[in-house]
Amino acid sequence: MQSTIITAGITPAELLEQFRAVVRFELQQVGIAMPTNAVETEELLTVKQAAALLNVTVHSIHEWKRIGKLPYSKMGSRTYFKRSELLSSLQSQQRSLKGGRRG
């Protein structure tokens, strides 16, 4: 006999969270440790999303990627950036303002 699951009145996000809870419970039952929430919630950004976040052009993102200024990951032919790594790499490379010539 097949069971039917009715998901009326539940959002996809709520359904996903309930699946995660079941998987966590089952993994704990067999003694497998779950990763921390920081790993689970790491947001991946596309090139366009990274450009929007940093308020720069897509071309700038590709150039910074090429010269090694931004860490990135490839999945197939697509490029992704971890939001936290993107922000921390730019904070560590901030320029200081130079004074102008006085004359």
Side-chain angles (χ1 to χ4, degrees), residues 28-97:
Q28 287 173 351
Q29 294 301 312
V30 295
I32 298 175
M34 287 296 297
T36 63
N37 282 345
V39 174
E40 290 179 354
T41 60
E42 182 66 54
E43 184 179 2
L44 294 178
L45 303 174
T46 64
V47 173
K48 285 183 181 180
Q49 291 170 327
L53 175 68
L54 302 176
N55 198 27
V56 297
T57 64
V58 169
H59 177 75
S60 295
I61 295 294
H62 284 297
E63 181 63 20
W64 292 347
K65 187 178 74 164
R66 186 184 68 77
I67 63 174
K69 187 173 183 178
L70 299 177
Y72 64 95
S73 299
K74 296 284 283 186
M75 290 183 202
S77 63
R78 297 179 184 246
T79 301
Y80 294 97
F81 303 91
K82 288 184 180 178
R83 182 185 190 97
S84 60
E85 288 181 0
L86 190 69
L87 295 174
S88 67
S89 69
L90 291 178
Q91 286 176 348
S92 66
Q93 297 179 20
Q94 282 184 340
R95 286 190 190 174
S96 59
L97 295 175

